[in-house]
Coordinates of all heavy atoms in Angstrom, one line a residue:
M102 N 2.3 -32.2 12.2 CA 2.5 -31.0 13.0 C 1.2 -30.6 13.8 O 0.1 -30.7 13.2 CB 2.9 -29.9 12.1 CG 3.7 -28.8 12.9 SD 4.2 -27.4 11.8 CE 5.4 -28.3 10.8
D103 N 1.3 -30.2 15.0 CA 0.2 -29.8 15.8 C -0.4 -28.4 15.3 O 0.4 -27.4 15.3 CB 0.6 -29.7 17.2 CG -0.5 -29.4 18.2 OD1 -1.6 -29.1 17.7 OD2 -0.3 -29.4 19.4
A104 N -1.6 -28.4 14.9 CA -2.2 -27.2 14.4 C -2.2 -26.1 15.4 O -2.1 -24.9 15.1 CB -3.7 -27.4 14.0
S105 N -2.2 -26.4 16.7 CA -2.2 -25.4 17.7 C -0.9 -24.5 17.8 O -0.9 -23.4 18.2 CB -2.5 -26.0 19.1 OG -1.4 -26.8 19.5
E106 N 0.1 -25.1 17.2 CA 1.4 -24.4 17.1 C 1.3 -23.1 16.3 O 2.0 -22.2 16.5 CB 2.5 -25.2 16.5 CG 3.1 -26.3 17.4 CD 4.0 -27.2 16.7 OE1 4.8 -26.7 15.8 OE2 4.1 -28.4 16.9
H107 N 0.3 -23.1 15.4 CA 0.2 -22.0 14.5 C -0.9 -21.1 14.9 O -1.3 -20.2 14.1 CB 0.0 -22.5 13.1 CG 1.2 -23.3 12.6 ND1 2.4 -22.7 12.3 CD2 1.3 -24.6 12.4 CE1 3.2 -23.6 11.9 NE2 2.6 -24.7 11.9
S108 N -1.5 -21.3 16.1 CA -2.6 -20.4 16.5 C -2.1 -19.0 16.7 O -1.0 -18.7 17.2 CB -3.2 -20.9 17.8 OG -3.7 -22.2 17.7
K109 N -3.0 -18.1 16.3 CA -2.7 -16.6 16.6 C -3.8 -16.2 17.5 O -5.0 -16.5 17.4 CB -2.7 -15.8 15.3 CG -1.6 -16.2 14.4 CD -1.0 -14.9 13.8 CE 0.3 -15.2 13.2 NZ 0.3 -15.7 11.8
T110 N -3.5 -15.3 18.5 CA -4.5 -14.8 19.4 C -4.6 -13.3 19.3 O -3.6 -12.6 19.0 CB -4.2 -15.2 20.9 OG1 -2.9 -14.7 21.2 CG2 -4.2 -16.7 21.0
Y111 N -5.8 -12.8 19.5 CA -6.1 -11.4 19.4 C -6.9 -11.0 20.6 O -7.9 -11.7 20.8 CB -6.8 -11.0 18.1 CG -6.1 -11.5 16.8 CD1 -6.3 -12.8 16.4 CD2 -5.1 -10.7 16.2 CE1 -5.7 -13.3 15.2 CE2 -4.5 -11.2 15.1 CZ -4.7 -12.5 14.6 OH -4.1 -13.0 13.5
S112 N -6.6 -10.0 21.3 CA -7.4 -9.6 22.5 C -7.8 -8.2 22.5 O -7.1 -7.3 21.9 CB -6.6 -9.9 23.7 OG -7.3 -9.6 24.9
N113 N -9.0 -7.9 23.0 CA -9.4 -6.5 23.2 C -9.5 -6.2 24.7 O -10.1 -5.2 25.1 CB -10.8 -6.3 22.5 CG -11.9 -7.0 23.2 OD1 -11.7 -7.8 24.2 ND2 -13.1 -6.9 22.7
G114 N -8.8 -7.0 25.5 CA -8.8 -6.8 26.9 C -10.0 -7.4 27.6 O -9.9 -7.6 28.8
E115 N -11.0 -7.8 26.9 CA -12.2 -8.3 27.5 C -12.3 -9.8 27.0 O -12.6 -10.7 27.8 CB -13.4 -7.6 27.0 CG -14.6 -7.7 27.9 CD -15.7 -6.7 27.4 OE1 -15.6 -5.5 27.6 OE2 -16.7 -7.2 26.8
L116 N -12.0 -10.1 25.8 CA -12.0 -11.4 25.3 C -10.8 -11.6 24.4 O -10.3 -10.7 23.8 CB -13.3 -11.8 24.6 CG -13.9 -10.9 23.5 CD1 -13.2 -11.1 22.2 CD2 -15.4 -11.2 23.3
T117 N -10.5 -12.9 24.2 CA -9.4 -13.3 23.3 C -9.9 -14.2 22.2 O -10.5 -15.2 22.5 CB -8.2 -13.9 24.1 OG1 -7.8 -13.0 25.1 CG2 -7.1 -14.3 23.2
V118 N -9.6 -13.8 21.0 CA -10.0 -14.6 19.9 C -8.8 -15.4 19.4 O -7.7 -14.9 19.3 CB -10.5 -13.7 18.7 CG1 -10.7 -14.5 17.4 CG2 -11.8 -13.0 19.1
V119 N -9.0 -16.7 19.2 CA -7.9 -17.6 18.7 C -8.3 -17.9 17.3 O -9.4 -18.2 16.9 CB -7.9 -18.9 19.5 CG1 -6.7 -19.8 19.0 CG2 -7.8 -18.6 21.0
W120 N -7.2 -17.8 16.4 CA -7.4 -18.1 15.0 C -6.4 -19.2 14.6 O -5.2 -19.0 14.9 CB -7.2 -16.9 14.1 CG -7.4 -17.2 12.6 CD1 -8.4 -17.7 12.0 CD2 -6.4 -17.0 11.6 NE1 -8.2 -17.8 10.7 CE2 -6.9 -17.4 10.4 CE3 -5.1 -16.5 11.6 CZ2 -6.2 -17.4 9.2 CZ3 -4.4 -16.5 10.4 CH2 -4.9 -16.9 9.2
K121 N -6.9 -20.3 14.1 CA -6.0 -21.4 13.7 C -6.0 -21.5 12.1 O -7.0 -22.0 11.5 CB -6.6 -22.7 14.2 CG -6.4 -22.7 15.7 CD -7.0 -24.0 16.3 CE -6.8 -24.0 17.8 NZ -7.7 -25.0 18.5
P122 N -5.0 -20.9 11.5 CA -4.9 -20.8 10.1 C -5.1 -22.2 9.4 O -5.6 -22.2 8.3 CB -3.6 -20.1 9.8 CG -2.9 -20.1 11.1 CD -3.8 -20.3 12.2
T123 N -4.6 -23.2 10.0 CA -4.6 -24.5 9.3 C -6.1 -25.0 9.2 O -6.3 -25.9 8.4 CB -3.8 -25.6 10.1 OG1 -4.2 -25.5 11.5 CG2 -2.3 -25.3 10.0
L124 N -7.0 -24.5 10.1 CA -8.4 -24.9 10.0 C -9.2 -24.0 9.1 O -10.3 -24.3 8.6 CB -9.0 -24.9 11.3 CG -8.5 -26.0 12.4 CD1 -9.3 -25.8 13.7 CD2 -8.7 -27.4 11.8
C125 N -8.6 -22.8 8.8 CA -9.4 -21.8 8.1 C -9.5 -22.2 6.6 O -8.6 -22.5 6.0 CB -8.7 -20.5 8.2 SG -9.5 -19.1 7.3
C126 N -10.8 -22.2 6.1 CA -11.0 -22.6 4.7 C -11.0 -21.3 3.8 O -11.2 -21.4 2.6 CB -12.4 -23.3 4.6 SG -13.8 -22.3 5.1
H127 N -10.8 -20.2 4.4 CA -10.7 -18.9 3.7 C -11.9 -18.6 2.9 O -11.8 -17.9 1.8 CB -9.4 -18.9 2.8 CG -8.2 -19.1 3.6 ND1 -7.6 -18.1 4.4 CD2 -7.4 -20.2 3.8 CE1 -6.5 -18.6 5.0 NE2 -6.4 -19.9 4.7
A128 N -13.0 -19.1 3.3 CA -14.3 -18.8 2.6 C -14.7 -17.3 2.9 O -15.6 -16.8 2.2 CB -15.4 -19.8 2.9
G129 N -14.2 -16.8 3.9 CA -14.5 -15.4 4.2 C -15.8 -15.1 4.9 O -16.3 -14.0 4.8
K130 N -16.4 -16.0 5.5 CA -17.7 -15.8 6.2 C -17.5 -14.7 7.3 O -18.3 -13.8 7.4 CB -18.2 -17.1 6.9 CG -19.5 -17.5 6.3 CD -20.1 -18.7 7.0 CE -21.4 -18.9 6.4 NZ -22.6 -18.6 7.1
C131 N -16.4 -14.8 8.0 CA -16.2 -13.8 9.1 C -16.1 -12.4 8.4 O -16.5 -11.5 9.0 CB -14.9 -14.2 9.8 SG -13.5 -14.4 8.8
V132 N -15.4 -12.3 7.3 CA -15.2 -11.1 6.6 C -16.6 -10.5 6.2 O -16.8 -9.3 6.4 CB -14.3 -11.2 5.4 CG1 -14.1 -9.9 4.7 CG2 -13.0 -11.8 5.8
R133 N -17.5 -11.3 5.7 CA -18.8 -10.8 5.3 C -19.6 -10.5 6.6 O -20.4 -9.5 6.6 CB -19.5 -11.9 4.5 CG -19.1 -11.8 3.0 CD -20.1 -12.6 2.2 NE -20.1 -14.0 2.5 CZ -19.1 -14.8 2.0 NH1 -18.2 -14.4 1.2 NH2 -19.2 -16.1 2.3
N134 N -19.5 -11.2 7.6 CA -20.3 -11.0 8.8 C -19.9 -9.8 9.6 O -20.7 -9.1 10.2 CB -20.3 -12.3 9.7 CG -21.1 -13.4 9.2 OD1 -22.0 -13.2 8.5 ND2 -20.6 -14.6 9.4
L135 N -18.6 -9.5 9.7 CA -18.1 -8.4 10.5 C -16.8 -7.8 9.8 O -15.7 -8.0 10.2 CB -17.7 -9.0 11.9 CG -17.6 -7.9 13.0 CD1 -18.9 -7.1 13.1 CD2 -17.4 -8.7 14.3
P136 N -17.1 -7.1 8.7 CA -16.0 -6.6 7.9 C -15.1 -5.5 8.6 O -14.0 -5.3 8.2 CB -16.7 -6.0 6.7 CG -18.1 -5.9 7.0 CD -18.4 -6.8 8.1
S137 N -15.7 -4.9 9.7 CA -14.9 -3.9 10.4 C -13.7 -4.6 11.2 O -12.8 -3.9 11.6 CB -15.8 -3.1 11.3 OG -16.4 -4.0 12.3
V138 N -13.9 -5.9 11.5 CA -12.9 -6.6 12.4 C -12.0 -7.5 11.5 O -10.8 -7.5 11.7 CB -13.6 -7.4 13.5 CG1 -12.7 -8.4 14.1 CG2 -14.2 -6.4 14.5
F139 N -12.6 -8.3 10.6 CA -11.9 -9.3 9.9 C -11.5 -8.7 8.5 O -12.3 -8.5 7.6 CB -12.7 -10.5 9.7 CG -13.0 -11.2 11.0 CD1 -14.3 -11.0 11.6 CD2 -12.1 -11.9 11.7 CE1 -14.6 -11.6 12.9 CE2 -12.3 -12.4 13.0 CZ -13.6 -12.3 13.6
K140 N -10.2 -8.4 8.4 CA -9.7 -7.7 7.2 C -8.5 -8.4 6.6 O -7.3 -8.1 7.0 CB -9.3 -6.2 7.6 CG -10.4 -5.4 8.2 CD -10.0 -4.0 8.4 CE -11.2 -3.2 8.9 NZ -10.9 -1.8 9.0
P141 N -8.8 -9.4 5.8 CA -7.7 -10.3 5.3 C -6.5 -9.6 4.6 O -5.5 -10.1 4.5 CB -8.4 -11.2 4.3 CG -9.9 -10.9 4.4 CD -10.1 -9.7 5.2
K142 N -6.8 -8.4 4.1 CA -5.7 -7.7 3.4 C -4.8 -6.8 4.3 O -3.9 -6.2 3.8 CB -6.3 -6.9 2.3 CG -6.9 -7.7 1.2 CD -7.2 -7.0 -0.1 CE -7.7 -8.0 -1.1 NZ -9.0 -7.6 -1.6
E143 N -5.2 -6.7 5.6 CA -4.4 -5.9 6.5 C -3.7 -6.7 7.5 O -3.9 -7.9 7.7 CB -5.4 -4.9 7.2 CG -6.0 -4.0 6.1 CD -6.9 -2.9 6.8 OE1 -6.8 -2.6 7.9 OE2 -7.8 -2.4 6.0
K144 N -2.8 -6.0 8.2 CA -2.0 -6.7 9.3 C -2.2 -5.8 10.5 O -1.8 -4.7 10.5 CB -0.6 -6.8 8.9 CG -0.4 -8.0 8.0 CD 1.1 -8.4 7.9 CE 1.1 -9.7 7.1 NZ 2.4 -10.3 7.0
P145 N -2.5 -6.4 11.7 CA -3.1 -7.7 11.8 C -4.4 -7.8 11.1 O -5.1 -6.8 11.0 CB -3.3 -7.9 13.3 CG -3.5 -6.6 13.8 CD -2.7 -5.6 13.0
W146 N -4.8 -9.0 10.6 CA -6.0 -9.1 9.8 C -7.2 -9.1 10.7 O -8.4 -8.9 10.2 CB -6.0 -10.3 8.9 CG -6.4 -11.6 9.5 CD1 -5.6 -12.4 10.2 CD2 -7.6 -12.3 9.4 NE1 -6.2 -13.6 10.6 CE2 -7.5 -13.5 10.1 CE3 -8.8 -12.0 8.8 CZ2 -8.6 -14.4 10.2 CZ3 -9.9 -12.9 8.9 CH2 -9.8 -14.1 9.6
V147 N -7.1 -9.4 12.0 CA -8.2 -9.3 13.0 C -8.0 -8.1 13.8 O -7.0 -7.9 14.5 CB -8.2 -10.6 13.9 CG1 -9.3 -10.5 14.9 CG2 -8.3 -11.8 13.1
Q148 N -9.0 -7.2 13.8 CA -8.9 -5.9 14.5 C -10.1 -5.8 15.4 O -11.1 -5.2 15.1 CB -8.8 -4.7 13.5 CG -7.6 -4.9 12.5 CD -7.6 -3.8 11.4 OE1 -8.3 -2.8 11.5 NE2 -6.7 -4.0 10.5
L149 N -9.9 -6.3 16.6 CA -11.0 -6.4 17.5 C -11.5 -5.1 18.0 O -12.6 -5.0 18.5 CB -10.6 -7.3 18.8 CG -10.3 -8.8 18.5 CD1 -10.0 -9.5 19.8 CD2 -11.4 -9.4 17.7
E150 N -10.7 -4.1 18.0 CA -11.1 -2.8 18.5 C -12.2 -2.1 17.7 O -12.8 -1.1 18.1 CB -9.8 -1.8 18.6 CG -9.2 -1.4 17.2 CD -8.2 -2.5 16.7 OE1 -8.2 -3.6 17.2 OE2 -7.4 -2.1 15.8
N151 N -12.5 -2.7 16.5 CA -13.5 -2.1 15.7 C -14.9 -2.6 15.9 O -15.8 -2.2 15.1 CB -13.1 -2.3 14.2 CG -11.8 -1.5 13.9 OD1 -11.5 -0.5 14.5 ND2 -11.0 -2.1 13.0
A152 N -15.2 -3.4 16.9 CA -16.5 -3.9 17.1 C -16.7 -4.2 18.6 O -15.7 -4.2 19.4 CB -16.8 -5.1 16.3
S153 N -17.9 -4.4 19.0 CA -18.2 -4.7 20.4 C -17.9 -6.2 20.7 O -17.9 -7.0 19.7 CB -19.6 -4.4 20.8 OG -20.5 -5.4 20.1
S154 N -17.7 -6.5 21.9 CA -17.4 -7.9 22.2 C -18.6 -8.8 21.8 O -18.3 -10.0 21.4 CB -17.1 -8.1 23.7 OG -15.9 -7.5 24.1
D155 N -19.8 -8.3 21.9 CA -20.9 -9.1 21.5 C -20.9 -9.4 20.0 O -21.2 -10.5 19.6 CB -22.3 -8.4 21.9 CG -22.7 -8.7 23.3 OD1 -22.0 -9.5 24.0 OD2 -23.6 -8.0 23.8
E156 N -20.6 -8.4 19.2 CA -20.5 -8.6 17.8 C -19.4 -9.6 17.4 O -19.6 -10.4 16.5 CB -20.2 -7.2 17.1 CG -21.4 -6.3 17.1 CD -21.0 -4.9 16.6 OE1 -20.0 -4.3 17.1 OE2 -21.7 -4.4 15.7
I157 N -18.3 -9.5 18.1 CA -17.2 -10.4 17.9 C -17.6 -11.8 18.2 O -17.4 -12.7 17.4 CB -16.0 -9.9 18.7 CG1 -15.4 -8.6 18.2 CG2 -14.9 -11.0 18.6 CD1 -14.5 -7.9 19.1
R158 N -18.2 -12.0 19.4 CA -18.7 -13.3 19.8 C -19.6 -13.9 18.7 O -19.5 -15.1 18.4 CB -19.4 -13.3 21.1 CG -18.5 -13.4 22.3 CD -19.3 -13.7 23.6 NE -18.4 -13.3 24.7 CZ -18.5 -12.1 25.3 NH1 -19.3 -11.2 24.9 NH2 -17.7 -11.9 26.3
T159 N -20.5 -13.1 18.2 CA -21.5 -13.6 17.2 C -20.8 -14.0 15.9 O -21.0 -15.1 15.4 CB -22.5 -12.5 16.9 OG1 -23.2 -12.1 18.1 CG2 -23.5 -13.0 15.9
A160 N -19.8 -13.2 15.5 CA -19.1 -13.5 14.2 C -18.2 -14.8 14.4 O -18.2 -15.6 13.5 CB -18.3 -12.3 13.8
V161 N -17.6 -14.9 15.5 CA -16.7 -16.1 15.8 C -17.6 -17.3 15.8 O -17.2 -18.4 15.2 CB -16.0 -15.9 17.1 CG1 -15.4 -17.2 17.6 CG2 -14.9 -14.8 17.0
A162 N -18.8 -17.3 16.4 CA -19.7 -18.4 16.4 C -20.1 -18.9 15.1 O -20.5 -20.0 14.9 CB -20.9 -18.1 17.3
L163 N -20.1 -18.0 14.1 CA -20.6 -18.3 12.7 C -19.4 -18.9 11.8 O -19.7 -19.3 10.7 CB -21.2 -17.1 12.1 CG -22.5 -16.6 12.7 CD1 -22.9 -15.2 12.1 CD2 -23.6 -17.6 12.5
C164 N -18.2 -18.9 12.3 CA -17.1 -19.5 11.5 C -17.4 -21.0 11.3 O -17.5 -21.7 12.3 CB -15.8 -19.2 12.3 SG -14.4 -20.1 11.5
P165 N -17.5 -21.4 10.1 CA -17.9 -22.8 9.8 C -16.9 -23.8 10.1 O -17.2 -25.0 10.2 CB -18.3 -22.7 8.3 CG -17.5 -21.6 7.8 CD -17.3 -20.6 8.8
S166 N -15.6 -23.4 10.1 CA -14.6 -24.5 10.2 C -14.0 -24.7 11.6 O -13.3 -25.6 11.9 CB -13.4 -24.0 9.3 OG -12.8 -22.9 9.9
G167 N -14.4 -23.8 12.5 CA -13.8 -23.9 13.9 C -12.4 -23.2 13.9 O -11.8 -23.3 15.0
A168 N -12.1 -22.5 12.9 CA -10.8 -21.8 12.9 C -10.8 -20.7 13.9 O -9.7 -20.4 14.5 CB -10.4 -21.3 11.5
L169 N -11.9 -20.1 14.1 CA -12.0 -19.0 15.1 C -12.7 -19.5 16.3 O -13.6 -20.3 16.3 CB -12.9 -17.8 14.5 CG -12.3 -17.0 13.4 CD1 -13.4 -16.0 12.9 CD2 -11.1 -16.2 13.9
S170 N -12.1 -19.2 17.5 CA -12.8 -19.5 18.7 C -12.4 -18.4 19.7 O -11.6 -17.6 19.5 CB -12.3 -20.9 19.2 OG -10.9 -20.9 19.4
I171 N -13.2 -18.4 20.8 CA -12.9 -17.5 21.9 C -12.2 -18.3 23.0 O -12.6 -19.4 23.4 CB -14.3 -17.0 22.5 CG1 -15.1 -16.3 21.4 CG2 -14.0 -16.0 23.7 CD1 -14.8 -14.9 21.1
Q172 N -11.2 -17.6 23.5 CA -10.4 -18.3 24.6 C -11.0 -18.0 25.9 O -11.4 -16.9 26.2 CB -8.9 -17.8 24.6 CG -7.9 -18.8 25.1 CD -6.5 -18.3 24.8 OE1 -6.2 -17.1 25.1 NE2 -5.7 -19.1 24.2
Ligands
SF4_281 S1 -15.1 -17.7 8.8 FE1 -13.6 -19.0 9.8 S2 -13.0 -20.4 8.2 FE2 -14.1 -18.7 7.2 S3 -12.4 -17.2 6.6 FE3 -13.2 -16.6 8.6 S4 -11.8 -17.7 10.0 FE4 -11.6 -18.7 8.1

């Protein structure tokens, strides 16, 4: 199955974050780096409105698996 079929996208109007759950190792690096945005226990679990685009870009770049990317 193509992993991209399961991609989820989240936008704040300025940038769009793509999350590919099949790549996510669930180690929670994003949660530790930017807990105001990445909230695994909530829905949606990515809440871009809680940080600046710069902070989001930085946290996405630190995702070790490539599960998070900017569109
Ligand atoms: S940092 Fe990336 S791989 Fe780790 S939990 Fe977050 S999205 Fe998944």
